[in-house]
Amino acid sequence: MVNIEFDLEVPMPFFSIVIPVYNTGRYLRACLESVAGQSFSDFEVVVVDDASSDNSGAIIEGYTLEDERFRAVTHVENRGRHLSRMTGIKQARGEYVIFLDSDDELSVNALESLHGRLLADPVDILHFGMSVVSHETIPEEERVVFEQGANTAIGKRAGRDVLRTVFDQDCGYGQDWRVIQRVFRRPIISDAFDVMEGARLDWMEDAYECFAACVLAESSDSLDECRGYIYHYGRGTSGVNKISVDEYDYFCKALAQCLNASARFAEGRFDKMVDRCVDGLRMKCLELLANDILIRLDEVDWASGLASFAKRFGETNAAREFYRFARDRAYELLQDEDVDLLDGDILFDYLALAESMVPTDDDMCDLGRYRTEKNVAENHVAALFARRLSKRREESRVKIFVSAHKDVDVPQSPVFLPVQVGAASAGRRFDGYYQDDEGENISDKNPFYCELTTQYWAWKNMDADYYGFCHYRRYFDFSPARHEENPYGEIIAQDIDAGAVEKYCLDEESVLAAVQGYDVITTEFKDLRDFPGDFSTPLEHYDNAPKLHIEDLELVCSLVRRRYPDYAEDVDTFLHGHTSCFCNMFIMKKELFFAYCEWLFSILEEYDGEADVEFYNKEALRTPGHLAERLFNIYYIHHMRVGPGWRTRTLQCVHFEHPEKKGFLKPAFDGSAIPVVFAADNNYVPQLCTAVYSLVANSSPARKYDIVVFSKDVTARNASRMFRFITDGHSNVSLRFYDVSHLVRGYKLEANAHISTETYYRFLIQSVFPDYQKVLYLDSDLVVDADVAELYDTKLGENLLAAVLDADYLGNLNMKDGQRVRYSKEKLGMKNPYSYFQAGVLLFNVAAMKHLHSQEEWLSLASVPYLYNDQDILNSHCEGRVKYVDFAWNMMIDSGRLDAVISFSPAWVHQAYLDSRENPKIMHYAGAVKPWSDPTCDFADVFWRYARCTPFYEELIAHLFDGGTLMDRAYQYVVNRHAARSLKRKIGDIVLPYGSKRRETAKRFFGRV
């Protein structure tokens, strides 16, 4: 660099204009001329030639010779724009500094306007306006948008608001960070460059420089009505011109250097607002960099560009940005109701690229944003699919209405229209459903008319060529194959999923093909003599129903004979015949359906007026629905007899035993909670409730907890008791029960005396909770004595999970027989068996686990027998990617193995285990010895301290007497009186805790005795 000495007696100019130059000879003369011709003349120009190889140097020299206000500084080697500005600042003498890029210009009155404003109201930073000239392929509309954004007047700011206005997301990034569009008081910008790093920065250096200046500034203002800067959009690195993957990778590298420099600048200032704003700077820069993938790379290079982005800034940020693109595209589509979502839309490319990333929790702030963008994007996409399905349902000329009183799975085919029955009195309305209380309806009669309220509503409000009706559990089998039936003539299936849709042809194409050309389709007519039970005719069948009254059937049949005498023969044929079709399921052409409804509802209306149901039970009150099944048979028989020429068809009926909604769970509290999963069966609910209560009792009111129990058989009563107890008074706690039957069906999951099949449910977390980055899994045979938020906040990075080493297993590894070492290496394939962890307390990296194996793969692995089942599988497949946490987070009680096994473990492991016993955070009653079967076991008092607060306490006490446990102990009274007294005292303290009313009552009672 060439240094030039200046005459110190020369007065300081008002403005110093710093112009970095590198090979811009084509534009440089216009740039310099725009400064030389200013209407205000009190300025100097410091032109920094950054080792240009074109004619830039000659142009600069010409101006320095002709105008003494122009001074030149030359770099021997190219150092980039940031360091060129740094050089210029060191040479500047003016009161204020303006940066001008050498391919842009100043308007002729720019300096005069800025001078007047600064004299009238001096500030550290003055933002002024810009005129934008587009070049290359920049569309005019984009130029206009750019110019509008560049001229946002913010007004006066002071203190930290100077910084917040530009870099705080809560302020909406209210102003750009271009240094070329600002005037800086020289001491401020000089100090900023003095503390900035002297490293080459080639991209987004403006952001770093502006950030540093705003941190140091005390005041700022706007003069955006002065369009003093003439910006040439499309020259240099700006604009939308295409670049190569290598060039994009260079941009990623350059931005990483800039962001790291900004972070280091903020370090040590101990200012939360500075930290917040450097984070805002980072987020905005990453958005702009990600935008360039779409704008400046060819579509075939997007994946490569995203890989470059992820390499520098992490897969969490990379995924977030493409979820942002998906969010915006989906929102754009949602705004136009006439636009249909096409399978080939670019939206799905965005989603695929986002899902190809494996997020980690290196930066919790990034994770929160990632989760937000992902949730919003997926909600928008779901809304698009729902809208498309709704449109197609409206347009479909074959409509099969599915009656449901609860939110269930329904085939996502436009021919199936779910209808919420009894909606008039329902507590909530189901999303994506039609409701039977809209338009003309009899929704209030649903407790009596059942699915007939759907038929009435469809009759009065919907238009179709074919009207069909199913029940949320029962559908027609539209497949050409015949399927096995149960003794009552139904095909028994499990879940309404993709497999069922395929097997029973519940797709649109198959349904339309099956219906085409027919007038009436019904379920098959079954011979009642083949059914289990003592009946052979429909009359006997109705009379055999324990909660129905034969008088109702007789009444409605008499009404049919009276109103429609020509049906009398058909009534007798049906009642005394041997066949019937069931379920109020049929598909009819429009004119036939309307005629049937006129006939049916007129009869039922008259029945309502004559029947006496005052003392009927709940099932008997549903008599109109039962009668309609029989009336349909009579109507069908009559028309087949009189010969209207109906073309009819019968189909098998499929009964789905588990139609409840499956899919994944949406996070509680908008994803801001700590998700915790337990797994248990109904028999284990008392222990489960104790574990969950212990967690909640130690929870922080400042955090939220999303607790989910995986189970197959927890009863509604037990779930309700737990829910009321756990959530009462805890607005920051959510408790849900999730039926996993459909996820584990078909897998051979082995259990043994000490390990239940519920232990395998932890493999389901990645499918049920895909929206959480981390999920905490806890066994149900433990109690928590600390806030699990501390454990949940453990950084996992790229690890698959966090866990505690298994001191018992490591003790076995040191046994002389070497069996456990051989098992670990040969069966489990572990390179280091001493890394084996205990799986009762696990913090899962959900995305990473899913990336390693799908749920189906995990469960297939679990179908192979191991010594410790799923725990062995996890150790085998997660080795080397485990974050180990303190033993206190999974302190296994001493069930007689401390001396026998654990003491053989490596010395440091043994000591760490002993230390954890002094202050355990989670006590895990692993093994055969449990407090509810042996109240004298290790740490049993802690379990009972929590258990006695739960509504299941008495059940746990009763469990102590199951299997003769206490009887066996009582025998010791004869053998060892002292031991018996000790046992009695311990049991007494559990059953009659100190200070309780029951203990005082017992003392008074036995005192009188």
Side-chain angles (χ1 to χ4, degrees), residues 745-802:
R745 193 176 296 119
Y747 294 98
K748 186 179 180 182
L749 305 177
E750 298 290 344
N752 59 40
H754 308 307
I755 301 176
S756 67
T757 56
E758 282 71 29
T759 189
Y760 298 103
Y761 295 172
R762 70 193 88 196
F763 289 133
L764 309 178
I765 288 174
Q766 65 192 45
S767 296
V768 179
F769 270 138
D771 285 344
Y772 278 119
Q773 180 60 29
K774 298 187 295 185
V775 173
L776 182 61
Y777 169 84
L778 301 178
D779 276 348
S780 298
D781 59 343
L782 52 75
V783 290
V784 180
D785 214 30
D787 186 2
V788 296
E790 181 186 348
L791 175 59
Y792 181 78
D793 289 342
T794 301
K795 295 286 189 181
L796 291 177
E798 296 183 359
N799 290 310
L800 295 165
L801 53 84

Side-chain angles (χ1 to χ4, degrees), residues 77-90:
E77 58 183 25
N78 183 264
R79 302 178 65 187
R81 184 159 48 188
H82 170 65
L83 294 181
S84 295
R85 286 173 180 162
M86 186 174 286
T87 296
I89 286 294
K90 290 178 181 179

Side-chain angles (χ1 to χ4, degrees), residues 866-970:
Y866 287 90
L867 182 62
Y868 293 116
N869 302 64
D870 61 316
Q871 181 169 282
D872 281 355
I873 296 166
L874 286 165
N875 273 279
S876 174
H877 289 261
C878 299
E879 184 181 14
R881 296 182 64 186
V882 178
K883 173 80 172 181
Y884 295 98
V885 295
D886 192 284
F887 278 81
W889 285 113
N890 188 1
M891 193 284 293
M892 294 185 294
I893 68 165
D894 176 16
S895 56
R897 298 176 69 84
L898 176 52
D899 292 330
V901 181
I902 295 177
S903 63
F904 284 80
S905 66
W908 71 271
V909 173
H910 184 203
Q911 187 58 51
Y913 170 78
L914 293 176
D915 292 344
S916 73
R917 291 177 58 82
E918 297 300 316
N919 187 26
K921 297 177 180 179
I922 292 179
M923 280 133 284
H924 189 182
Y925 304 99
V929 180
K930 311 285 189 184
W932 48 91
S933 59
D934 181 357
T936 67
C937 76
D938 195 26
F939 285 91
D941 58 315
V942 183
F943 173 84
W944 289 105
R945 171 159 49 90
Y946 289 109
R948 67 172 54 99
C949 300
T950 73
F952 299 94
Y953 176 60
E954 287 74 16
E955 293 178 37
L956 287 165
I957 294 300
H959 185 80
L960 286 170
F961 294 88
D962 291 345
T965 301
L966 292 188
M967 295 299 292
D968 292 341
R969 295 295 184 103

Side-chain angles (χ1 to χ4, degrees), residues 498-513:
V501 169
E502 180 179 2
K503 182 174 183 179
Y504 303 113
C505 294
L506 302 177
D507 58 282
E508 180 183 22
E509 184 179 355
S510 299
V511 172
L512 295 179

Side-chain angles (χ1 to χ4, degrees), residues 139-154:
E140 174 61 15
E141 58 270 21
E142 184 170 337
R143 184 202 68 79
V144 171
V145 170
F146 187 96
E147 186 173 84
Q148 289 173 344
N151 293 293
T152 304
I154 297 299

